[in-house]
Every structure is written in structure tokens, then in C-alpha cells.
């Protein structure tokens, strides 16, 4: 028997997939799959490769509108365009993989809680316990116009609605106790309906009767992800989330946000270790630093100025930006005033502009790869050094890897960086268990009905 | 006409239509939420060149506790959501059509068009959508309403839902995505067509966030039997599930539907009419009859009465084997309940005979017999103007699917009535339905 490994804390890794890659010019690169967004084979091969690299999970972002903005720019930047709907794609990947977690973004503003509880519960059953839900509230007008609303919900409304939505969905997942389906052929009893719980939810935004027409998911509830670093965002994450995803360029800021979020858990009756904080990392790795640099420079050179402006517009909340001289400093007064409601990406961008006064070109190049995330360009040792430094500094419990180009960037990461992290004992050599909760070291939650005495006491 | 082939689908939700399926020790009792159970079915059906793998669905668990003590005594309450299940099956199959039942009453068109279009892409053009309007208050109560929308309004909503989805599925021209690295052009803005729909139920700008799908759009299925349902089917559906149990009325309904589609500017060849068929097959007729008798014997009367409760309320106070009580009336407001009532009166059935004979096969044609008995009925319906094929309803799944595939399919092939290989990799292609061209060419 092999000696037990020392219980070193190891980093978790997620693979964030945008069809052709995270760099806005990824589709120009020969190592991107140019028809990625309608090519299931591309995704199946990536998922299987990520699984060979022992990634904890695949993470899919989503949008409920193509958010056209500047059509000239969009024609050159196919983000949230020509791509699969995440829940259906992950269901396909569930059948083609066996261990890797499958996390889809879905909105609490434009779906029905009953339908969403079914879809994610179904994915958890299909994958034998590997589903995760990235909860977003959706804050753009283009999406609202695909769902019959002229304006999107206000920030605080969205979060209040989201909280109610999440509570309903989690309640529906608990509709049946784990042992409700007795399936006893001798007595002819299929289900013990004393173990069925009808939700009877009547709230401000929703009324949902229940029960869900589904067994309790294998994970009890799929793993809950949340992004957003506004005050409300942090507070709802501390209340609900198992994993917090953030896109920040500074280690110090990630470290303090992680401490901040962890510190909020006890007042919700949770232990700080019940939440994982995972910053995004826009990684470009090569066999040599020069090779990585060459790929990066190629991509940066392919950013059309219209696309550059569109990226910054998106970070600032899809505002209109005028044409600007590319090599002059980005005008500070174009950034909307920060109030309680503004998106956290705009706040992060303001901090960068205030601190460094970059030119327009420098600024959009900085956001071109992985948007607000920290960028690493280097060989395997350099990438591993940086990830190790951030990990040991307490900036994250792991990272959401955002390869510039897909599948090329994933192939390089699995071949070059994964073995280096494993050699350092920083990353798993084998999956610890079968479910996504097992990989992340998160306990399977008890049903809300598991301890009636405690419920009554509240 | 001689090369006209029968189309076959199978309706495979859970353990079949007979409530005793789960009692069989050879069957996984948790089939409805067991991926391997469905995987085996899909592979079996694909090996027999079935056109359609079909999943019925409801947006609630509403099995009533009528009579008292009935709840929990049959399988149900634990099943997959169909679109996700079919997306998973798309990865492990290559020809069979994947058809999900989805309610037009409880979804928003933008997200639904995305999901169904996405599975059409994932499966290489094998998606179908059985449009239902949902009829139960228990479903409405999961979506913020006390009562289900009135039937006329449900069909208006369904019609508008399809108009919006069709618009979204056509919101990109076939060649809108040149993905040209040289020119730096990923898509051509001039080939994008937002729909800017404003209707009574929906306002949707579009465009959809995916290219036009391999089939242009999923194949539309419909099964309504009311006047509103028949018109809806005639105007929009490509495959129509018919609820018929005798040949003469099936033939009349077939002719009437083929005529009805003309009213909407469509050709009779643009639709396929597939009556439901529950085959109870054995090596011999005696085997099949014995199997059926045993199934009926295994059926707990309280479960049979529960099946009738939706249509007629609690019948437990009557003699289950006495004459069917005169005072019993339909309480459901759906056409099927009236059909049951007529049938019981016409045949002089007792309550037990009604649930044994009709409610289990759900008003569809049931044939109990040898492979050639079953093929005879299918051949007659198919060649004499009552059907383009059949939607096979297993009484017990997977037993009756395996039996049909092993015993009846070879008989149909021997008679030249059924294919011996797939003609296409798309659902519309296998059904022999016309392509749906882009409106922008």
C-alpha cells in the first residue's frame, strides 16, 4: 500500500470555456476551433481532456441576449453568439465524461424556479452528482427585451428576487427525503409519501406549490456558484454559495475579498471553510516563455479597435463609448459614477484607470484576455509559480482557468502546467471521489426537513 | 406507393403505461430517473431503426390520493426533465429522433427556442418538440397561478409561442457565419434578422444566439384532440399523435386531418399521422394473453381507481364489478374523459373493466397477440388510410419495447412495410418530411 500522502491543502481548478477561447481575438488563432459554438465534438473532446487533467469542473458562462452593442465590433467578436445553451450542452457532456463537474450559468430573473430546479436536478441525476449552478441575476437591458420587459430589474430588486428564487429551488430539491422512494415490491409501496414535502411557497415575487417531480439530487443540491463583488453580491454569496468566482487583476484585492466573504459566513450559521473562493486566471502557457509571449502578442495584435472599445463598454455595463484616440490616456470621466448599484466590473476598471492612467489601447489589451482576470503569460514553471504564489498568499482556494485559445490553450495547460503543479504537491493526481462536492471537499447538505426538531426551534 | 414505409416512434417515459411495471424484479424500479435505463432503450430502439424516441411530460407531480391510500402505490414522482435527458442521449446515439414534450404555457420562448435549438445542434438535427398546452391546475400552481389558463387562451399562447420560436430559429441566414479569419469577419450583420415581436403574450427582440440549426428548426409534434387542438395541429404540426382505438374512426380522423391541413395552405404530405399503439406481444397469442392477464391480476384495485379519479372523482364507494354507475360524470374538462364514459356505457363495462381495458392503454389502440397478429393490425391501418405509422406505447418498459423490437419489427420488415436501415441522420429526413427552407433565401 502506498504511504498516505501528507494532507497538504491542494488547489481546485475549474476550466472556464468560451467557445473559441477567452481572448477576444481567439478565433483568429489557428489553434482555436473556429466553428466551436456549434460543434459538439469539440466540447466533448475538451471535456474529456480536462477530465484527464483532473480538473474539478467545467464552467460555462451565459447570456440571455447577444448584447449586440456595436454591430461592427460584434461581427468581429463572437462572445455569447453562435454557441450552445449551457444546460443542454452540459447534459451532453455528462454522457461523455464520468468524473468532471459540470457547472452552468442560469438566471434568476428570466426563468421559472420550478423549471430551473428540474433542469439542474436532472443534470445532477444524469451525471451522478456532478452538477453546479452559477447563479446570476442578469443585469442588462438586451436580455430583458428578450423576455418581455422594456427595462431590466434594478440591482436591489434583482438580488431580492434572486434570494427568493434560490430558496424556492433549494426547497424544491428537498421535496423528497433521500429515503422516500422505498420501491418495496412485496408491499406494493413505491414511495413513502410521509417523506414527501410540499413547499407551498407564497412570496413577494413567486408562488410555487411543489413538490418537484424528482428524487432528491445525488448531491442533495447541486453546487451553488456565484460571482459579483458588490456589497449585495458578497452578502448573498455568504448566505447561499458554495463557490465564489471573481475576476480581479490584483492578488491583494482577491486576498481581501476572500477574507471579507469568509468573514461573513458565521452570521449565516456557516463555517468559513464551507465556501471556496476561486479567482479567474487568464493563462497562456508555452514550452518556453517566448512561445507563450508569441501567442499572446499575436492575439493582442488582432484586436480591432472597435472590438477594444466594445470590451471596455461591456466592462462598464454596456454603456456607449465614443471613438477615442488609441494612444491617449483613457478619459476617467467616461466611467459611470459609482453608486451602490453599479456593477463590480466597472468599479474594478475605475481602480485600474485611477491607479495607472493607461492609454485606451493599453486598457483594452489588458481586458482582451479573460476580461477582468489576472493574466499569466509564461512557461510551465512561471505559470505554476504564479498560481502557487497566489494560492499560498490566500488569494484563492483554487482558480478558474481561462485559456486564451481553445482547445489549444487547454491542451498546453494539461500537458505542461498540470504535471508541474502535481510535482509540487499542489494539485490532485486522482479524483478524491465521485461527485463535484467530493472533489471540492464540500459536504452533502442535509435536507431542510432532516431535523424537524431544529426547524421547530427556529 | 409500394415504397412507402411505416414510421415508428416509442413513447418511453418511465416504466410504461401499465402501473405494475415496477413490480417486475428484472426491471430497475427507479427507471424514470436512471440514465442507464434510458440508454438501453435508446440503443435498442436505434438498433431497430425507430424514427422517434419520445418523452411525455408534466410540470408537476399530481397523482391524487384518491381513493385515500392510493398515493405512493405506483411509480411516479421521480423523473428526469426531458430536454436535458435527450441532450445526454444525443451523445450516445446517432440516428434516432429525440422528441421532448414541453409546455407552451410554462416557458418563455427565447430560452425554450435556445434549448431546443441547442439540442438540434448537439444531435446533428434529431430534435423534435411535442407542444402541449398543459391542462392541470396542479401544474399552474407551480408557476404562480391558482388555475390553469382557459383552453382557448392556452392555444392562443401556444400559437404565439410557436410564431416567436419559428422567428427566432430563422433569425440568422444559413450562411450568416463565414468565420473568415482573413477578412476578420465572424458573422455578416446583414444576415442577422432580429424579430422584434410584440404580441398578446410575448415581447421578444431576438435574434437567437445560435446559428440556424441543422433541421432549420426542430420537428413539431402535437396530440390535441379538441377542435382547437386539431386546428393547431393542422396549422403547425408535422407529426400528429392520434388517439384512436378503432379502425373506422381512425380512418375517418386520418382523412379529416389530411384535409384540414389544406385549410392552412399545407399539403397532406407535410404531415405524418401516428396513432398510439399498445402492443402486448408474445411468441404466440396465448402467451400474450397470459401476460396481459397476469399484469391485470397484479394491478392493485386502488391504483386502478386512482387512474379513474382524474376523470370521474372517487369511485371507491361503488361496486367495482357491478354495472357502471349512471350518475358518474366527467369532472376533468378534457375530451378523453368523455370518450371513456361513452366507451364504458357502450361496452357495458364495470369500473374494473374500464380501468383494465381503457385507462391503462389511455384510449389508444391495444393489440394483444402474436407478432403476426400485431403486424396484421398495423398493416391494415397503414395500408388502408388510417395511419402513416405508429407511436408505440409499451405497457411495461423495457419488456414490451424489447419484445416489439425482437418479434414484431422483423415481421414488419419481412412484409416490406418497414425500413431495414436509416435513410438519414436527421429526424425530418427519416420521417420523409420536406426540409424547412430559410425564409431569407
Amino acid at each position: 500500500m502506498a504511504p498516505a500522502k501528507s494532507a497538504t491543502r491542494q488547489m481546485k481548478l475549474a476550466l472556464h470555456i468560451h467557445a473559441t477561447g477567452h481572448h477576444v481575438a481567439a478565433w483568429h488563432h489557428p489553434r482555436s476551433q473556429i466553428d466551436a459554438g456549434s460543434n459538439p465534438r469539440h466540447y466533448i473532446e475538451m471535456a474529456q481532456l480536462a477530465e484527464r487533467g483532473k480538473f474539478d469542473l467545467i464552467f460555462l458562462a451565459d447570456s440571455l441576449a447577444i448584447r449586440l452593442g456595436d454591430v461592427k465590433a460584434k461581427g468581429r467578436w463572437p462572445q455569447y453568439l453562435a454557441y450552445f445553451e449551457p444546460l443542454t450542452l452540459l447534459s451532453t457532456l455528462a454522457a461523455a465524461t464520468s468524473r468532471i463537474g459540470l457547472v452552468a450559468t442560469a438566471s434568476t430573473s428570466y426563468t421559472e424556479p420550478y423549471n430551473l430546479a428540474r433542469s439542474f436536478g436532472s443534470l445532477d441525476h444524469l451525471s451522478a452528482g456532478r452538477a453546479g449552478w452559477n447563479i446570476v441575476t442578469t443585469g442588462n437591458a438586451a436580455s430583458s427585451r428578450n423576455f418581455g420587459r422594456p427595462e431590466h430589474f434594478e440591482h436591489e430588486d434583482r438580488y431580492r428576487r434572486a434570494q427568493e428564487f434560490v430558496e424556492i429551488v433549494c426547497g424544491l430539491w428537498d421535496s423528497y427525503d433521500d429515503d422516500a422512494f422505498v420501491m418495496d415490491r412485496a408491499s406494493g409501496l413505491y414511495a413513502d409519501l410521509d417523506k414527501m414535502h410540499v413547499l407551498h411557497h407564497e412570496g413577494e415575487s413567486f408562488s410555487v406549490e411543489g413538490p418537484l417531480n424528482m428524487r432528491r439530487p445525488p448531491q442533495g443540491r447541486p453546487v451553488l456558484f456565484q460571482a459579483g463583488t458588490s456589497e449585495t453580491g458578497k452578502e448573498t454569496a455568504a448566505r447561499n454559495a458554495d463557490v465564489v468566482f471573481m475576476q480581479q487583476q490584483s492578488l491583494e484585492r482577491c486576498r481581501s475579498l476572500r477574507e471579507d466573504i469568509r468573514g461573513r459566513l458565521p452570521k449565516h450559521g456557516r463555517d468559513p471553510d464551507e465556501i471556496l473562493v476561486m479567482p479567474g486566471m487568464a493563462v497562456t502557457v508555452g514550452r518556453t516563455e517566448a512561445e507563450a509571449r508569441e501567442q499572446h502578442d499575436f492575439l493582442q495584435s488582432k484586436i480591432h479597435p472597435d472590438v477594444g472599445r466594445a470590451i471596455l463598454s461591456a466592462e462598464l455595463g454596456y454603456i456607449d463609448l465614443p471613438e477615442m484616440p488609441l494612444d491617449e490616456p483613457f478619459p476617467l470621466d467616461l466611467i459611470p459614477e459609482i453608486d451602490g448599484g453599479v456593477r463590480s466590473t466597472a468599479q474594478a476598471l475605475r481602480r485600474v484607470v485611477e491607479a495607472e492612467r493607461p492609454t485606451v489601447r493599453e486598457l483594452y489589451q489588458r481586458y482582451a484576455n479573460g476580461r477582468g482576470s489576472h493574466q499569466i503569460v509564461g512557461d510551465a514553471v512561471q505559470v505554476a509559480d504564479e498560481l502557487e504564489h497566489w494560492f499560498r498568499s490566500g488569494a484563492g482556494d483554487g482558480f478558474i482557468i481561462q485559456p486564451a485559445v481553445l482547445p489549444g490553450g487547454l491542451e498546453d495547460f494539461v500537458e505542461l502546467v498540470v504535471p508541474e503543479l502535481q510535482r509540487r504537491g499542489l494539485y490532485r493526481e486522482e479524483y478524491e471521489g465521485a461527485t463535484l462536492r467530493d472533489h471540492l471537499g464540500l459536504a452533502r447538505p442535509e435536507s431542510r426537513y432532516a431535523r424537524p426538531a431544529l426547524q421547530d426551534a427556529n | 406507393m409500394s415504397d412507402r414505409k411505416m414510421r415508428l416512434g416509442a413513447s418511453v417515459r418511465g416504466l410504461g403505461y401499465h402501473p405494475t411495471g415496477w413490480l417486475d424484479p428484472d426491471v430497475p424500479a427507479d427507471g424514470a430517473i436512471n440514465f442507464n435505463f434510458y440508454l438501453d432503450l435508446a440503443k435498442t430502439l436505434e438498433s431497430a431503426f425507430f424514427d422517434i424516441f419520445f418523452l411525455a411530460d408534466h410540470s408537476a407531480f399530481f397523482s391524487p390520493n384518491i381513493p385515500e391510500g392510493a398515493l405512493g402505490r405506483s411509480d411516479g414522482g421521480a423523473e428526469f426533465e426531458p430536454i436535458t435527458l435527450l441532450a445526454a442521449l444525443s451523445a450516445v446515439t446517432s440516428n434516432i429522433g429525440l422528441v421532448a414534450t414541453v409546455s407552451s404555457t410554462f416557458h418563455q420562448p427565447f430560452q425554450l427556442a435556445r434549448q431546443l435549438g441547442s439540442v438540434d445542434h448537439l444531435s446533428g438535427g434529431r430534435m423534435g418538440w411535442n407542444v402541449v398546452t398543459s391542462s392541470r391546475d396542479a401544474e399552474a400552481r407551480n408557476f404562480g397561478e391558482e388555475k390553469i389558463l382557459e383552453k382557448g387562451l392556452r392555444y392562443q399562447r401556444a400559437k404565439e409561442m410557436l410564431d416567436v420560436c419559428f422567428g427566432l430559429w430563422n433569425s440568422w441566414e444559413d450562411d450568416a457565419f463565414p468565420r473568415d479569419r482573413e477578412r476578420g469577419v465572424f458573422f455578416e450583420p446583414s444576415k442577422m434578422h432580429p424579430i422584434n415581436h410584440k404580441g398578446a403574450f410575448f415581447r421578444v427582440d431576438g435574434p437567437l444566439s445560435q446559428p440556424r440549426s441543422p433541421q432549420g428548426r426542430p420537428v413539431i409534434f402535437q396530440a390535441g384532440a379538441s377542435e382547437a387542438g386539431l386546428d393547431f395541429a393542422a396549422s403547425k404540426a408535422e407529426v400528429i399523435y392520434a388517439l384512436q382505438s378503432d379502425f373506422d374512426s381512425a380512418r375517418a380522423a386520418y382523412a379529416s386531418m389530411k384535409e384540414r391541413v389544406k385549410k392552412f395552405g399545407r399539403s397532406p404530405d407535410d404531415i405524418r399521422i401516428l396513432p398510439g399503439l399498445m402492443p402486448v406481444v408474445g411468441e404466440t397469442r396465448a402467451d400474450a394473453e397470459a401476460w396481459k392477464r397476469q399484469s391485470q391480476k397484479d394491478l392493485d384495485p386502488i391504483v386502478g381507481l386512482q387512474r379513474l379519479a382524474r376523470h370521474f372523482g372517487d369511485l371507491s364507494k361503488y361496486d367495482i364489478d357491478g354495472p357502471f354507475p349512471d350518475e358518474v360524470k366527467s369532472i376533468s374538462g378534457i375530451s378523453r374523459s368523455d370518450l371513456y364514459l361513452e366507451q364504458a356505457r357502450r361496452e357495458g363495462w364495470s369500473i374494473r373493466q374500464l380501468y383494465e381495458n381503457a385507462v391503462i392503454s389511455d384510449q389508444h389502440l391495444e393489440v394483444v397477440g402474436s407478432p403476426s397478429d400485431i403486424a396484421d393490425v398495423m398493416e391494415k391501418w397503414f395500408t388502408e388510410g388510417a395511419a402513416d405509422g405508429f407511436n408505440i406505447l409499451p405497457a411495461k418498459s423495457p419488456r414490451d419495447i424489447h419484445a416489439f423490437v425482437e418479434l414484431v419489427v422483423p415481421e414488419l420488415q419481412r412484409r416490406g412495410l418497414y425500413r431495414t436501415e436509416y435513410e438519414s441522420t436527421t429526424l425530418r429526413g427519416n420521417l420523409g418530411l420536406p426540409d424547412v427552407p430559410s425564409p431569407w433565401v
Side-chain angles (χ1 to χ4, degrees), chain A residues 296-376:
Chain A
H296 183 69
D297 291 345
F298 171 85
L299 293 170
Q300 296 290 59
S301 76
K302 290 284 183 187
I303 307 167
H304 192 280
D306 291 343
V307 174
R309 206 169 57 240
I311 308 167
L312 298 178
S313 156
E315 291 300 309
L316 293 171
Y318 296 90
I319 61 166
D320 288 329
L321 287 177
E323 295 207 18
M324 296 166 279
L326 300 184
D327 296 309
E328 311 249 330
F330 184 86
L332 197 57
D333 59 9
L334 289 178
I335 302 176
E337 276 308 305
I338 292 178
D339 58 40
V342 85
R343 41 194 296 142
S344 26
T345 54
Q347 297 188 32
L349 190 136
R350 171 179 284 272
R351 270 188 297 275
V352 171
V353 172
E354 282 176 345
E356 303 173 32
R357 306 310 311 265
T359 66
V360 173
R361 190 194 308 273
E362 284 164 351
L363 190 62
Y364 74 58
Q365 285 193 340
R366 215 169 145 148
Y367 277 86
N369 191 14
R371 252 51 78 220
S373 298
H374 181 59
Q375 270 189 79
I376 313 175

Side-chain angles (χ1 to χ4, degrees), chain B residues 134-168:
Chain B
S134 304
S135 60
R136 305 189 192 231
D137 293 337
E139 297 177 286
R141 288 195 296 272
N142 286 329
F143 297 87
E145 304 290 336
E146 266 308 302
K147 293 262 169 218
I148 193 75
L149 203 61
E150 181 271 317
K151 191 173 200 165
L153 291 174
R154 292 207 306 274
Y155 275 101
Q156 279 177 35
R157 183 182 163 114
K159 185 180 170 306
E160 189 179 330
M161 168 71 91
L162 283 194
D163 288 341
V164 175
C165 287
F166 285 10
L168 288 168

Side-chain angles (χ1 to χ4, degrees), chain B residues 12 20 25 27 88 100 114 120 288 296 351 362 375 423:
Chain B
V12 289
T20 62
V27 165
R114 283 185 78 201
D120 202 43
Q296 304 295 46
I351 291 170
D362 224 8
E423 297 86 30

Side-chain angles (χ1 to χ4, degrees), chain A residues 25 74 127 142 151 172 179 183-184 221 231 244 265 269 293 305 323 356 376 379 400 445 454:
Chain A
K74 200 72 198 182
S127 63
E151 293 297 327
L172 287 170
D179 57 354
M183 299 187 279
D184 179 15
R221 63 169 198 248
E231 187 59 27
V244 177
L265 266 71
R293 186 63 54 197
E323 295 207 18
E356 303 173 32
I376 313 175
D379 65 19
I400 306 219
L454 198 72

Side-chain angles (χ1 to χ4, degrees), chain B residues 47-61:
Chain B
S47 75
F49 315 111
F50 265 61
D51 293 88
I52 299 155
F53 182 100
F54 172 81
L55 293 172
D57 191 53
H58 293 98
S59 298
F61 175 60

Side-chain angles (χ1 to χ4, degrees), chain A residues 118-161:
Chain A
R118 282 192 82 190
S119 298
F120 277 94
S122 196
L123 179 62
D124 206 44
H125 280 288
L126 285 168
S127 63
R130 296 185 283 136
W133 170 28
N134 179 38
I135 305 162
V136 296
T137 62
T138 308
N140 64 82
S143 295
S144 67
R145 288 195 301 270
N146 283 330
F147 292 85
R149 291 180 61 93
E151 293 297 327
H152 63 83
F153 297 98
E154 289 302 322
H155 189 83
E156 293 303 315
D157 278 356
R158 288 206 314 270
Y159 275 98
R160 211 168 48 245
R161 199 181 151 89

